[in-house]
Amino acid sequence: DHPKRAADGGPTTATNAQGLCEACNYTKDTPGWHARAHLDDTGTPTVVTTTPTGHTYTSHPPPPPGAPPPGAPREAPRRPTRLEAYFRDLVLTA
C-alpha cells in the first residue's frame, strides 16, 4: 500500500509505504481522502491521512520485533572480560 499511489507516480520506498488492510486501502482511495508520507523530525516514516471532513490522523510504523518499548532505559554497556579484552587487543595490534 502506498500513500501516493504507484498509478499516480508514487515510488515504492519505505517513506511511501503504509500497511493498510484492503478495506482501508480502498477507503483511502475514495474522493475526499488524502494521504501524505514523509519523514518526521526523527527520520521515522510518517503518514498523515486527511478525511473528507478535514480531520487529520498521523501514523507511524510499529517498532521492529524485539525492540525495547519507547522510553525504556538503555542498558549500560558491559565491560569486556579479561579474555575478551586480550583478544580484542591482540586483533587490534596484529
Side-chain angles (χ1 to χ4, degrees), residues 2 17-18 21 24-25 27 39 42 46 56 64 67-70 72-74 76-77 80 84 86 88-89 93-94:
H2 301 88
Q18 185 179 23
C21 69
C24 291
N25 192 14
T27 299
L39 296 176
T42 66
T46 302
T56 59
R74 293 184 177 211
E84 290 170 330
Y86 169 78
R88 179 198 62 211
D89 295 342
T93 58

Side-chain angles (χ1 to χ4, degrees), residues 41 52 65:
D41 295 340

Side-chain angles (χ1 to χ4, degrees), residues 10 27 35 42 52 58-59 69 81 90 93:
T27 299
T42 66
T58 302
S59 62
T81 65
L90 185 65
T93 58

Side-chain angles (χ1 to χ4, degrees), residues 29-94:
D29 287 342
T30 59
W33 288 79
H34 302 282
R36 181 175 60 90
H38 67 283
L39 296 176
D40 68 10
D41 295 340
T42 66
T44 302
T46 302
V47 176
V48 177
T49 303
T50 305
T51 69
T53 61
H55 292 87
T56 59
Y57 299 91
T58 302
S59 62
H60 306 279
R74 293 184 177 211
E75 292 183 19
R78 71 172 182 84
R79 294 185 63 187
T81 65
R82 292 172 81 188
L83 185 60
E84 290 170 330
Y86 169 78
F87 282 112
R88 179 198 62 211
D89 295 342
L90 185 65
V91 169
L92 291 177
T93 58

